[in-house]
């Protein structure tokens, strides 16, 4: 069902360098800051996110909060993201690569086919699991995150 667990052999060249993540515009809210973020999950594909972080300095638990498959994906922080950030969590709000993949492909326009062309027998759920692991690694390296307390919801 998952296919392979991670990119294999020569396909590993497509793994992105998480250290090259790009933090974009940040806007303060009442209790947290909302920042645009791009994480290079592949060498030529960066996934877009919102990073929500408490305004006070410190190390916080973190949650990767993927949005649902309903139309609210356009506002990923609207539900759990904002709620968690207001309660002292660093939150990485995003969605599966099926919403936006290389060259703007989606589930309905060929994202799974593009995945298989590049990585071979890797299924969508396997790629999602890998991406969550990469997102966890990104958060664990942040100075404002307690790497022992990272969760996922979505």
């Amino acid at each position: 069902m998952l296919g392979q667990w991670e990119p294999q052999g020569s396909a590993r060249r497509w793994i992105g360098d998480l250290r090259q993540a790009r933090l974009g515009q940040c806007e303060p809210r009442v209790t947290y800051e909302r920042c645009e973020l791009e994480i290079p999950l592949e060498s030529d594909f960066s996934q877009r996110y919102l990073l929500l972080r408490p305004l006070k300095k410190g190390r916080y638990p973190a949650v990767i909060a993927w949005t649902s498959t309903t139309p609210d994906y356009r506002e990923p922080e609207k539900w759990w993201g904002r709620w968690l950030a207001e309660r002292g969590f660093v939150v990485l709000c995003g969605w599966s690569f099926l919403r936006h993949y290389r060259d703007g492909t989606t589930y309905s326009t060929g994202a799974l086919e593009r995945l298989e062309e590049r990585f071979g027998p890797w299924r969508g759920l396997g790629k999602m699991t890998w991406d969550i692991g990469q997102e966890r690694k990104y958060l664990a390296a942040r100075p404002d995150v307690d790497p022992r307390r990272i969760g996922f919801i979505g």
Side-chain angles (χ1 to χ4, degrees), residues 3-9 12 15 119 122 126 130:
Q4 58 197 23
W5 286 102
E6 61 185 27
Q8 301 293 315
R12 293 190 66 75
I15 295 173
F119 293 106
W122 205 10
W130 169 264

Side-chain angles (χ1 to χ4, degrees), residues 14-16 40-46 101-102 118-119 127:
W14 297 108
I15 295 173
L41 295 178
E42 295 177 23
S43 61
D44 62 347
F45 169 68
S46 290
Y101 192 40
R102 291 182 284 123
R118 175 170 280 181
F119 293 106
K127 167 82 161 106

Side-chain angles (χ1 to χ4, degrees), residues 33 35 49-54 61-66 76-77 80-86 88-94 139 145 153:
E33 183 175 50
C35 300
Y49 299 89
L50 290 177
L51 180 68
L52 313 177
R53 55 189 183 185
V63 175
I64 299 162
W66 279 14
E77 75 184 281
W80 288 109
R82 182 177 64 214
W83 190 88
L84 287 163
E86 289 172 342
F89 287 81
V90 172
V91 186
L92 185 63
C93 295
L139 287 171
V145 170
I153 186 170

Side-chain angles (χ1 to χ4, degrees), residues 57-149:
K57 298 283 185 207
R59 290 179 69 107
Y60 296 93
V63 175
I64 299 162
W66 279 14
T67 188
S68 73
T69 56
T70 62
D72 74 352
Y73 79 92
R74 296 172 202 269
E75 299 176 295
E77 75 184 281
K78 187 174 182 180
W79 303 106
W80 288 109
R82 182 177 64 214
W83 190 88
L84 287 163
E86 289 172 342
R87 285 155 180 80
F89 287 81
V90 172
V91 186
L92 185 63
C93 295
W95 43 80
S96 153
F97 78 99
L98 295 174
R99 285 258 178 230
H100 171 78
Y101 192 40
R102 291 182 284 123
D103 300 324
T105 57
T106 65
Y107 177 78
S108 61
T109 63
L112 292 174
E113 290 79 8
R114 305 253 358 241
L115 177 68
E116 191 168 339
E117 287 169 5
R118 175 170 280 181
F119 293 106
W122 205 10
R123 304 295 173 252
L125 192 55
K127 167 82 161 106
M128 288 182 229
T129 303
W130 169 264
D131 288 350
I132 293 165
Q134 296 298 92
E135 293 161 358
R136 186 205 60 79
K137 286 178 187 176
Y138 169 79
L139 287 171
R142 291 186 55 82
D144 56 352
V145 170
D146 178 348
R148 298 166 294 142
R149 298 190 297 162

